[in-house]
Amino acid sequence: MALAPTWKLSMCQMDVKGAYLNGRLKERVYMLQPEGFDNGTGHICLLIKTLYRLFQSRRELNIELDTKLQ
């Protein structure tokens, strides 16, 4: 960051927390209703976007970042 003004480079930032939540899943992932949300129906949720602590979240973020940087 110290070299950016010296070399007249522009800097950008990225919100990593938001990046994890904006990833799109390519495979079908199901989960039980979150704790505290149980409405008594016993329905199972189909995830469309990634969540924290989901292994696919990191992978999707890495794929997206690699594509954009190339």
Side-chain angles (χ1 to χ4, degrees):
M1 290 198 293
L3 295 176
T6 306
W7 293 352
K8 297 180 182 171
L9 300 173
S10 63
M11 293 180 55
C12 299
Q13 67 182 23
M14 181 179 79
D15 179 17
V16 176
K17 290 181 184 178
Y20 268 99
L21 296 176
N22 288 324
R24 286 208 159 265
L25 291 171
K26 292 180 179 61
E27 58 275 322
R28 288 182 169 254
V29 177
Y30 296 93
M31 66 175 265
L32 298 174
Q33 291 180 356
E35 192 174 313
F37 181 77
D38 190 14
N39 61 2
T41 61
H43 288 152
I44 297 175
C45 303
L46 170 64
L47 296 179
I48 298 172
K49 294 205 173 216
T50 58
L51 294 173
Y52 291 118
R53 299 182 189 163
L54 188 66
F55 289 115
Q56 287 90 341
S57 299
R58 283 185 237 140
R59 188 172 60 92
E60 293 301 325
L61 176 62
N62 286 335
I63 290 169
E64 183 70 22
L65 184 61
D66 185 55
T67 303
K68 297 290 183 185
L69 291 176
Q70 287 182 7

